[in-house]
Amino acid sequence: GAGVSQSPSNKVTEKGKDVELRCDPISGHTALYWYRQSLGQGLEFLIYFQGNSAPDKSGLPSDRFSAERTGGSVSTLTIQRTQQEDSAVYLCASSLAGQGRADTQYFGPGTRLTVL
Amino acid sequence: AQTVTQSQPEMSVQEAETVTLSCTYDTSESDYYLFWYKQPPSRQMILVIRQEAYKQQNATENRFSVNFQKAAKSFSLKISDSQLGDAAMYFCAYRSPLSGTYKYIFGTGTRLKVLA
């Protein structure tokens, strides 16, 4: 079946503009993660959605970052008033469970965000 | 808090040879899960291998195997008969199995170059 998809693949924006990044998880996966990967760095956890539970937003770096997951499926990560330090690859992953015994995360190809 | 350390920013291996990528972690938990992910230039993170800490037997997947040393908190990845397609960033990751704990902790990655 289809894997995790993300759009756009690349996004170039000007400092101060708002951007929206989209993630379509694998059908049936209840858990969804957003990560940020800066150049030469590992993956930084941003936010986690699990079913109908309240999301864990503890990784969001500032109040300029927010995310939604509509209908338990598609998720949108929004960055308001972008700054140059927001430039990174934003990765989305989904999995079947997200709790208890470890499940495998399936990653999307990411969105490369460049803030000029 | 758990941490994951990959001390080799970059490694090179000759095609058809064997290479070992190192990963150490710090945790006070006795049961957990460890993963190796591969990220080729396409950015798509792919699960290479996973290990449950309660299993003493080292996980293997075709040419990929791990050397899991629980007491030393070491989780190295061995790639045998290296192929050009193995060139990628490799990330080690840790996950707690506790219910309600779903965050994956990633290392900073090791870039593997395969020389023809």
Side-chain angles (χ1 to χ4, degrees), chain B residues 17 20 22 44 51 54 57 59 68 76 90 97 111:
Chain B
E17 297 294 309
T20 298
S22 66
Q44 187 93 40
Q51 174 83 41
Y54 65 88
Q57 187 172 7
F68 173 47
S76 61
Y90 286 81
R111 181 175 300 282

Side-chain angles (χ1 to χ4, degrees), chain A residues 33-37 43-48 56-61 65 77 79 89-91:
Chain A
Y33 304 75
W34 281 98
Y35 294 92
R36 179 169 68 176
Q37 185 179 25
L43 275 66
E44 174 190 6
F45 167 81
L46 296 178
I47 190 170
Y48 165 80
D56 180 348
K57 305 178 181 180
S58 61
L60 295 178
F65 288 71
L77 177 69
I79 309 173
V89 173
Y90 289 82
L91 292 168

Side-chain angles (χ1 to χ4, degrees), chain A residues 55-95:
Chain A
D56 180 348
K57 305 178 181 180
S58 61
L60 295 178
S62 77
D63 58 8
R64 295 186 296 104
F65 288 71
S66 62
E68 292 183 336
R69 188 177 185 192
T70 55
S73 180
V74 172
S75 178
T76 302
L77 177 69
T78 301
I79 309 173
Q80 296 178 309
R81 305 181 302 281
T82 52
Q83 303 294 312
Q84 289 183 331
E85 60 262 28
D86 299 335
S87 296
V89 173
Y90 289 82
L91 292 168
C92 174
S94 71
S95 65

